[in-house]
Amino acid sequence: MKKLSYILRDLLRFKGNTFTKIISLAIGLSVGILSFSYCAFETDYDSFHRYADRIYRIGTTEGNTNIPLALANEAKRGIPEIELTTCIQERIYPNYIYKKQRFQGGDALRADTSFFRLFSYRLLSGDPRDLQYADKFFISDKLAAIIFGNEDPLGKEVKYGNKLITVAGIFENFPRNGHLMNIHAIHPLIQTNDNQWTDKPEYKGYILLTPGADPDKVTRQIQAIADPHQSEEHHYSYTLQPLRDLHLKYGWGYTYITLVGIMGSIIVLISALNYILISVSSLIQKTKEIGIHKINGASTSNIFTMFFTETVILIIISGLLALGELIAFKPFFENIMYNEYASLFNTRVLITVAFFFVFMIILTGVLPARLFASVPVLQIFRQVSHGRRFWKYILLWIQFFSACLLLTLLIIFNGQYKTMMNKDMGYTMENLYYTQMYCGSPYPSLASVKDEVKRLPFISNVTFSSNLPLWPVSATVSDPNGQGLFQSCVIHTDEDFFSTLQIPILDGDSIAFTGGKDNVWVNEKFREKLEITGTNATGLVVEKRPITPCGTCRNFHVLSLYAYQEPLTIFRLQEPDTTRSYYLLMRMEQADRQQMKELMTRIRKISNQPDLNLYYYPHVFRAGYESDKDMCTSVLIFSSMAIIIAILGLFGFTGDEVSRRTKEIAIRKVIGASVTSITLLLLRNISLLALLSIPFALTGAYFIGSLWLEEFIYRLPLSIWIFLGGAALTFIVILLTVLLKSQRGIRARPAETLKSE
C-alpha cells in the first residue's frame, strides 16, 4: 500500500509529465482499439457459418459471379463431392402493403429451399421447404416488428405488387459480418425450367463440399459440365471461391484494411514510444530519488516493479479516457467504419483488444522501468541523461518519420478524392434531379408524365431513361455472323436525353433516331472499337437486336470512375406494354425548396405513386465514393493524432534539453550570446534529426500512396510538390513546437539561473 501511495504522490508531483503521458497513451489506445478491432472484424467475415470452410461460391476467372441455374442443378446431381447446393437471385427492394399502409422491405433475396440448410442463418419460426411456394416468403425479426408490431406475423398476408403473399417464417437478423448482410426478406426462387442454360446467367450458386473433398477436382468437374453448353464467344472458365474470401478477396478488398492496419500500428507505436521518450526525458528529475530508494534498501526488482506499476496505472487511466472518447464520438466512428459498435465488438474482436492492452503495458512498462532500475547508486549526485540521449534521438526520429509519412499520405488521399470529384464526366450534373417511377398500364404513359412535368415553369428539360449513366447494363456487340466483337454499355432513353444531360452531338440525325426501331446512338468509344476490329457498322447486333448507328455523341462517362470509358449503345425507349420502372431525369433552372415540393406534388399526383422520392444527381454520384471520402477522413484522424503525439514528445524532449543545458544557456548569455543564436543552437540537432527522417518518410508515403492509387483508373499524379508539401508541413510543426517550448528557458535571467552556484 505504501508503494502505491508513493507512486500516486509521484504522479501528482510531476503532473505535467503525467498529463502528457496520459494524453499520449489515450490517443494510442483509442486509435489502436478502433483500427485493430476494425481489421479483426473485417477478416472474420462469414466465420459464423457452421460449414464455413467447406462452402464455396461458383464464379468465373473473368470476374463474373452469376451462373446459369442449370449449372448448379447438374453439379449437385453429377458430382458426388457436392453435399448441398443453393442458388439465390440478385437483391430486390420490395414494398409491402399491410392494412393499407405501405412499408419498404429493405434488401431482399430470392432463394431456394436449401438456403437455410447450407448457411447457418437462424430460423426463429417456419419451415424452409415453404420457399418452394410462390405465395409465401420469410422476413427478418426486425422487419416483422416494423410491419406487424406486436402481432404474430406467421400466416399474415401482405400485398406485394399485385398479389397477396403469406409470411411463412421469421429469421434472426443476419449478422453484420457476413457477405449477405442487411437482408430482411427472402422470397421463393421458383425454378420454372430445370435446364435453364439458355437464360441470361443471373443466379449466384453456392455449394457445400463433403469433408475432405478436393476443390480443384470439383472445379474441373463443374467446367466439364458447363463446356458443352457454352459457345466460343460466350465461354467462361469457372472457379470455386471460398466463402471466407468473398468479402475481401472478391469484394471489399484488402487495400482499405491494410492501410488502416498500417496507420493504426504507426499511431500505436509512436504513442508507446512517446511515453518512453517522456519517461526517459524525466530521468534527470528522478535519478536522485531512485538513488535514495536504493540507499534505503530498495533492490533493482523493487525499483522495476514500482515504475512498471506506475505504467499500469497510467494505462488504466488512459484506457478509461479512450473509452470515454469512443463513447462520446460513437456516431462519427460508426459512420467511418460502416459498423455499429454492437456488431463490431464481437468475441474475436474483444480478444484482440485484450491482447492489444497487454502488448501496450509490456511495451510502455518494461523499457522505462528497466532504465530506471539500472541507475547506479553512485549516480545520485550527478546527471545520467548523457548516456540516455541516444534513446531519445531514436524515439524522436520515429515520431518525425511517422508524422511526415501520415501528413504526406493525407495530401495524396485528399488529392485523389478531389481528382475524382472534379473529373469531367462529359455531361452536366448541376441542377439535375431524378426520381424512379412505374409507367405503363395501370400507371400513366411515359409521354403523359413528360408533358405534365414540362409544364412547370422552372423545369428546362425532361427525359426518361431505363438506367442512369451511373448504372447502365452491359451487352455484347456481335457482327452479322453472330461473332462477339466487344462489350458495350446499354441505355434505353428518349430523344430529350442529350439536351437534358447537355451532351454534345458530334454527328447524326435525331429524326432518324425517333423514326427507326433499330436506329441507335453510339459514343466515340464505340466507333473506335469498330475501327480497331475493322468491322462495318451495318448488320451489328446488340441484345439480340439488329442495330443501325444513326449518330455519334461525345464520350460521357458511364459506370463508376473505377472503370475506363466504355463503348455505349443508346436505344430508343419505347412505351411499355406492361408496368415497368424507369428513371425520370429533370433539369431545373434554379431549384429551391418550394419548387422541389411543388415538383414532387405534381409527379406523385400524375403518376399515382405517393411514395416517390426526389434525388439530387450530384449527391448520388458522390455517394458512390463515400468509402474514398471516409478513407481521407481516417487518414486525417491518423495524421492529426501523429502530429499531436509528436508535439507532446517534442515538448518533453525540448523541456529536458533546456533543463539539462540551463547553466550553459545562462553562461552563453552572460558572455553576449543573443536569444536567436541560443535558439538556433537548440534547433540544430532537432532540425538535423528531422532532415534525416523526412526522406525515409517520403519514400514510405510514395509506396503506400502508390498502393492506394492502384485501386483507381483515374489517378492523381504523384508530383514532387506533394512530397515537398508533406516535408514542409512536418518541418514547420517541429520548428514551431521547439520555439514555443524553449523560449521561457532561453529568456530566463542568467542571475536567477546561476544564483545556486
Side-chain angles (χ1 to χ4, degrees):
M1 196 65 187
K2 279 186 176 181
K3 290 181 179 179
L4 182 60
S5 176
Y6 172 78
I7 291 171
L8 293 175
R9 288 200 309 268
D10 196 53
L11 290 175
L12 292 174
R13 188 154 61 93
F14 298 102
K15 52 183 177 292
N17 271 354
T18 300
F19 176 77
T20 304
K21 290 177 181 178
I22 290 174
I23 296 299
S24 179
L25 286 176
I27 292 173
L29 290 173
S30 58
V31 171
I33 291 172
L34 287 177
S35 58
F36 297 148
S37 297
Y38 174 79
C39 293
F41 182 85
E42 290 290 309
T43 55
D44 197 38
Y45 260 63
D46 289 305
S47 64
F48 57 87
H49 293 291
R50 181 180 178 184
Y51 306 115
D53 294 334
R54 293 195 282 132
I55 297 175
Y56 295 81
R57 184 177 69 188
I58 303 174
T60 69
T61 55
E62 293 83 6
N64 190 13
T65 58
N66 291 334
I67 64 169
L69 186 60
L71 177 59
N73 293 332
E74 290 195 21
K76 174 64 175 69
R77 290 193 296 264
I79 302 176
E81 288 86 355
I82 296 180
E83 184 176 315
L84 194 64
T85 65
T86 189
C87 285
I88 63 175
Q89 256 182 320
E90 291 289 354
R91 299 188 182 207
I92 56 177
Y93 307 95
N95 289 325
Y96 306 109
I97 298 177
Y98 180 66
K99 292 183 178 180
K100 298 183 179 180
Q101 287 189 314
R102 185 182 294 269
F103 299 91
Q104 291 185 346
D107 292 12
L109 292 177
R110 297 190 184 278
D112 59 28
T113 55
S114 300
F115 181 82
F116 286 106
R117 293 167 56 203
L118 188 142
F119 294 113
S120 299
Y121 299 118
R122 185 182 168 202
L123 260 183
L124 302 177
S125 60
D127 187 342
R129 290 175 294 185
D130 284 336
L131 281 173
Q132 65 184 302
Y133 303 113
D135 60 345
K136 295 185 177 182
F137 77 120
F138 289 72
I139 59 175
S140 68
D141 52 357
K142 180 178 180 179
L143 183 58
I146 293 173
I147 297 177
F148 302 103
N150 295 326
E151 299 180 37
D152 183 5
L154 281 181
K156 292 287 193 308
E157 288 186 335
V158 299
K159 188 175 182 181
Y160 170 54
N162 296 320
K163 63 180 181 178
L164 292 175
I165 57 176
T166 304
V167 178
I170 312 296
F171 57 85
E172 192 174 56
N173 292 329
F174 283 11
R176 177 61 180 78
N177 61 333
H179 78 288
L180 295 177
M181 55 183 161
N182 298 327
I183 301 297
H184 295 291
I186 298 179
H187 289 248
L189 179 64
I190 306 299
Q191 302 183 22
T192 57
N193 180 6
D194 191 45
N195 187 29
Q196 299 181 24
W197 286 102
T198 57
D199 290 355
K200 180 182 177 181
E202 57 181 13
Y203 304 93
K204 296 188 185 300
Y206 299 83
I207 63 174
L208 173 64
L209 298 185
T210 56
D214 181 6
D216 293 333
K217 178 183 176 183
V218 175
T219 300
R220 292 192 294 270
Q221 291 173 308
I222 290 175
Q223 190 68 47
I225 291 173
D227 281 343
H229 304 278
Q230 300 191 89
S231 60
E232 291 185 5
E233 64 268 19
H234 294 97
H235 186 277
Y236 296 104
S237 299
Y238 288 96
T239 183
L240 293 185
Q241 302 168 348
L243 181 68
R244 295 290 302 275
D245 291 345
L246 295 185
H247 176 61
L248 291 179
K249 186 175 181 180
Y250 300 101
W252 181 248
Y254 289 99
T255 303
Y256 193 94
I257 66 165
T258 300
L259 291 173
V260 170
I262 290 174
M263 291 186 292
S265 300
I266 289 174
I267 296 299
V268 168
L269 180 63
I270 63 174
S271 172
L273 296 181
N274 191 61
Y275 178 91
I276 297 171
L277 174 63
I278 297 171
S279 298
V280 173
S281 297
S282 66
L283 194 57
I284 294 177
Q285 299 167 309
K286 293 191 175 183
T287 298
K288 295 180 181 179
E289 298 174 25
I290 295 170
I292 292 171
H293 279 299
K294 289 191 172 184
I295 290 174
N296 289 330
S299 64
T300 299
S301 61
N302 293 143
I303 301 297
F304 180 90
T305 302
M306 183 173 66
F307 284 103
F308 188 80
T309 304
E310 176 184 307
T311 298
V312 173
I313 292 173
L314 292 179
I315 285 279
I316 293 173
I317 296 173
S318 301
L320 294 174
L321 186 61
L323 182 62
E325 178 186 348
L326 297 182
I327 294 173
F329 297 98
K330 177 183 175 183
F332 173 75
F333 289 130
E334 286 182 337
N335 180 61
I336 64 173
M337 292 191 301
Y338 302 98
N339 285 300
E340 295 180 353
Y341 282 175
S343 300
L344 180 66
F345 291 105
N346 56 32
T347 303
R348 182 171 183 259
V349 170
L350 291 176
I351 292 174
T352 303
V353 171
F355 275 111
F356 165 62
F357 264 89
V358 172
F359 168 78
M360 285 292 284
I361 290 173
I362 294 174
L363 180 62
T364 57
V366 171
L367 182 58
R370 187 174 178 83
L371 286 174
F372 289 136
S374 65
V375 175
V377 177
L378 295 178
Q379 297 286 359
I380 186 172
F381 292 117
R382 55 195 188 97
Q383 296 177 352
V384 296
S385 63
H386 294 284
R388 316 296 181 186
R389 291 177 68 189
F390 177 73
W391 278 102
K392 293 187 284 187
Y393 284 130
I394 290 179
L395 298 177
L396 267 183
W397 186 93
I398 294 174
Q399 293 196 24
F400 293 164
F401 167 86
S402 304
C404 183
L405 171 69
L406 292 175
L407 275 175
T408 308
L409 286 178
L410 177 63
I411 297 173
I412 294 173
F413 284 29
N414 275 282
Q416 174 60 28
Y417 180 72
K418 290 180 179 178
T419 297
M420 291 197 303
M421 292 301 98
N422 295 327
K423 174 76 171 61
D424 181 12
M425 300 294 287
Y427 57 92
T428 305
M429 289 187 280
E430 186 180 0
N431 292 329
L432 186 64
Y433 293 80
Y434 77 88
T435 187
Q436 192 172 8
M437 66 169 62
Y438 290 107
C439 288
S441 179
Y443 297 103
S445 65
L446 301 172
S448 63
V449 173
K450 284 183 65 175
D451 289 342
E452 287 294 327
V453 174
K454 282 181 177 179
R455 292 179 183 178
L456 294 171
F458 48 83
I459 298 294
S460 59
N461 290 99
V462 183
T463 185
F464 266 108
S465 177
S466 61
N467 297 90
L468 298 180
L470 303 175
W471 312 311
V473 297
S474 182
T476 302
V477 179
S478 304
D479 64 16
N481 299 320
Q483 179 67 41
L485 300 174
F486 54 86
Q487 290 294 113
S488 171
C489 292
V490 174
I491 294 177
H492 295 255
T493 187
D494 56 38
E495 67 278 3
D496 294 319
F497 181 78
F498 299 113
S499 58
T500 303
L501 271 68
Q502 299 179 356
I503 300 170
I505 300 298
L506 301 182
D507 62 72
D509 184 1
S510 59
I511 298 178
F513 180 62
T514 58
K517 179 182 177 182
D518 298 330
N519 291 342
V520 298
W521 285 90
V522 297
N523 65 351
E524 296 172 275
K525 191 69 176 181
F526 191 102
R527 295 287 188 182
E528 290 175 15
K529 286 286 187 179
L530 289 181
E531 292 176 5
I532 292 173
T533 57
T535 306
N536 193 289
T538 58
L540 297 177
V541 177
V542 177
E543 290 187 337
K544 300 180 181 179
R545 290 173 52 182
I547 65 168
T548 303
C550 65
T552 307
C553 66
R554 192 185 71 180
N555 282 335
F556 63 95
H557 202 90
V558 290
L559 299 173
S560 74
L561 290 174
Y562 298 113
Y564 286 109
Q565 176 70 53
E566 294 287 337
L568 178 65
T569 307
I570 301 177
F571 284 90
R572 165 73 175 173
L573 187 63
Q574 305 294 327
E575 285 286 354
D577 50 2
T578 58
T579 300
R580 295 182 185 177
S581 178
Y582 297 97
Y583 290 92
L584 176 65
L585 292 113
M586 301 155 286
R587 185 171 299 282
M588 303 178 70
E589 295 288 354
Q590 189 172 0
D592 59 39
R593 189 176 297 274
Q594 183 60 36
Q595 290 176 345
M596 287 189 285
K597 184 178 179 180
E598 183 180 349
L599 172 62
M600 287 313 299
T601 301
R602 175 74 63 90
I603 291 176
R604 287 167 181 165
K605 182 179 179 180
I606 60 179
S607 66
N608 194 26
Q609 297 169 60
D611 297 326
L612 294 183
N613 295 309
L614 187 66
Y615 302 95
Y616 186 45
Y617 196 99
H619 289 171
V620 178
F621 167 75
R622 287 193 288 268
Y625 307 95
E626 281 297 314
S627 61
D628 302 310
K629 182 179 179 181
D630 290 338
M631 190 68 224
C632 294
T633 303
S634 300
V635 177
L636 175 61
I637 294 172
F638 286 129
S639 57
S640 300
M641 297 299 101
I643 289 296
I644 292 172
I645 293 173
I647 289 174
L648 292 174
L650 196 53
F651 259 64
F653 176 85
T654 305
D656 173 50
E657 284 291 291
V658 173
S659 176
R660 185 178 63 83
R661 304 173 71 172
T662 298
K663 295 181 177 60
E664 176 192 345
I665 292 171
I667 294 172
R668 286 181 179 274
K669 292 178 72 174
V670 168
I671 61 177
S674 64
V675 171
T676 302
S677 63
I678 296 174
T679 301
L680 292 174
L681 181 67
L682 288 174
L683 283 173
R684 184 182 60 188
N685 290 341
I686 293 176
S687 299
L688 180 61
L689 197 62
L691 291 175
L692 289 175
S693 66
I694 285 175
F696 293 95
L698 297 181
T699 302
Y702 175 81
F703 284 108
I704 296 176
S706 298
L707 173 67
W708 170 252
L709 292 175
E710 285 178 3
E711 299 289 313
F712 305 96
I713 298 298
Y714 302 98
R715 302 170 186 168
L716 170 75
L718 291 180
S719 67
I720 191 173
W721 298 108
I722 292 174
F723 300 99
L724 289 178
L729 283 175
T730 306
F731 206 74
I732 289 171
V733 170
I734 292 172
L735 292 180
L736 291 178
T737 303
V738 173
L739 291 174
L740 182 64
K741 181 63 178 177
S742 63
Q743 287 307 295
R744 182 178 177 182
I746 293 175
R747 295 181 182 278
R749 296 173 60 187
E752 294 292 328
T753 304
L754 299 173
K755 67 180 180 180
S756 60
E757 293 299 311

